């Protein structure tokens, strides 16, 4: 299955890892959620994470950054 997010095309299957990472300030990102093969759940959780002042989040598909958000 091919998906397009932010004008980038990715190939996904049942073994694809979707990771949602959160960080604060200049510190490193840390995995918050990891889903295997379930893109809909990964996007839902990514959109539901409310980042406060100084925080950042990103969505990764097989260790490739797809989307980022900063506050």
């Amino acid at each position: 299955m091919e998906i397009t997010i932010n004008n980038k095309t990715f190939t996904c299957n049942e073994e694809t890892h979707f990771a949602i990472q959160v960080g604060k300030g200049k510190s490193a990102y840390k995995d918050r959620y990891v889903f295997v093969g379930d893109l809909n759940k990964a996007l839902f959780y990514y959109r539901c994470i409310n980042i406060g002042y100084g925080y950042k989040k990103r969505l990764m598909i097989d260790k490739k950054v797809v989307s980022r958000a900063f506050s």
Side-chain angles (χ1 to χ4, degrees):
M1 169 173 84
E2 287 192 8
I3 59 168
T4 303
I5 300 175
N6 293 340
N7 297 326
K8 296 179 185 177
T9 304
F10 299 93
T11 304
C12 301
N13 57 27
E14 298 83 28
E15 298 175 1
T16 304
H17 287 12
F18 302 98
I20 300 169
Q21 298 179 333
V22 178
K24 182 174 182 183
K26 294 184 179 182
S27 66
Y29 286 95
K30 295 179 184 174
D31 284 346
R32 181 96 179 251
Y33 302 102
V34 176
F35 302 99
V36 178
D38 195 355
L39 174 64
N40 291 328
K41 189 180 279 189
L43 288 174
F44 176 77
Y45 275 77
Y46 177 76
R47 290 181 186 142
C48 289
I49 292 177
N50 188 9
I51 53 175
Y53 181 73
Y55 283 86
K56 55 191 177 181
K57 67 179 178 179
R58 69 182 175 186
L59 173 64
M60 300 183 71
I61 297 177
D62 286 335
K63 299 184 181 181
K64 296 177 187 170
V65 177
V66 176
S67 181
R68 292 183 182 161
F70 305 96
S71 66

